[in-house]
Amino acid sequence: MDLIAAEALYVPAAVDLAAIVIGALTGGLLAAREGFAVSGVLLLAVSGGLGGGLIRDILLAQGPPVAMTNEAYLPTVAVTAAVTFYFSGWLSRLTGLLVALDAVTLGFFTVIGAQKAQLAGLPSPSVVFIGTVTAVGGAVIRDMLLAQRADIIQPGPYNAVAALIGATVLSILAGPVGMPPLPVAAIVIVLVAGLRLLSVWRGWDAPVALDLPARARSRLVRRTRRRR
């Protein structure tokens, strides 16, 4: 059990920081496009890079959030915010690359959050919830700071949906199926990133609420008319 826990928790520092940088870039670029002051760029960079992890650690209540105890996290976000502040125009030209990197980051955050919830001994539904919140929590905080409706609740390319599916697959593969943590992490990262990129490329929208009785009545009416 200890070996499994150690394997599940191990994420190379470079990969971890890369995911934080991409999240911070996304938030910082949005602030720069809105014409925010340097404090606004920094705040949105922090929310994009560290927001999901902060929410996760608060919900798990296992001590101070990692974002506050890791010496590299906040300086990395600060440097990223400075880059977006001074080079936002140049970075905006790399939209395609940033979308791809953001999709991979979504997968990494999903895996990290879900695995930490598993190691905390939480049941599968909570693992799925924590994994999803870790992946999209930063975006929610960012949108709140922008005083706009959260992007994840609106129709559009898969974001929370991809994270939700990925966290569910992780809870199944690492739970009942019993696969080792590292292969599970690789599968889920590819799955989440792939769903996100496909939804952008193919123009897929996240499902919206349906009125099933009304739809059933409409189909019944159409069939009745055809028979006539």
Side-chain angles (χ1 to χ4, degrees):
M1 181 64 183
D2 290 337
L3 291 176
I4 293 175
E7 187 181 10
L9 275 176
Y10 177 72
V11 177
V15 173
D16 195 20
L17 289 176
I20 290 171
V21 165
I22 299 304
L25 275 176
T26 303
L29 282 174
L30 281 174
R33 290 172 188 169
E34 293 289 332
F36 284 13
V38 62
S39 56
V41 175
L42 180 59
L43 188 57
L44 261 69
V46 170
S47 68
L50 302 175
L54 285 169
I55 296 174
R56 175 201 66 215
D57 293 342
I58 290 171
L59 291 174
L60 292 177
Q62 294 181 333
V66 177
M68 300 295 104
T69 58
N70 189 302
E71 296 180 355
Y73 282 8
L74 287 175
T76 298
V77 171
V79 171
T80 304
V83 171
T84 59
F85 187 78
Y86 288 108
F87 300 98
S88 60
W90 180 77
L91 289 170
S92 297
R93 301 172 189 170
L94 305 176
T95 302
L97 176 61
L98 289 176
V99 168
L101 292 175
D102 183 63
V104 176
T105 299
L106 188 72
F108 271 106
F109 283 154
T110 301
V111 167
I112 292 171
Q115 286 191 335
K116 284 197 172 185
Q118 282 187 324
L119 292 173
L122 299 181
S124 293
S126 299
V127 169
V128 173
F129 175 72
I130 294 293
T132 305
V133 166
T134 303
V136 302
V140 173
I141 297 175
R142 177 200 69 204
D143 292 339
M144 290 174 60
L145 292 172
L146 289 171
Q148 65 184 28
R149 187 166 61 172
D151 184 60
I152 67 167
I153 66 173
Q154 301 186 70
Y158 295 177
N159 194 345
V161 171
L164 179 64
I165 293 173
T168 301
V169 170
L170 185 146
S171 69
I172 294 172
L173 294 181
V177 176
M179 286 181 62
L182 294 183
V184 170
I187 291 171
V188 172
I189 291 169
V190 171
L191 174 63
V192 173
L195 285 173
R196 169 66 178 171
L197 290 174
L198 276 174
S199 69
V200 173
W201 177 47
R202 302 288 294 181
W204 295 344
D205 285 344
V208 297
L210 298 175
D211 188 344
L212 291 178
R215 175 170 290 192
R217 286 195 299 269
S218 178
R219 289 181 178 178
L220 181 60
V221 169
R222 287 199 299 267
R223 289 178 183 176
T224 303
R225 289 176 178 173
R226 288 174 185 172
R227 290 175 184 175
R228 292 177 182 177

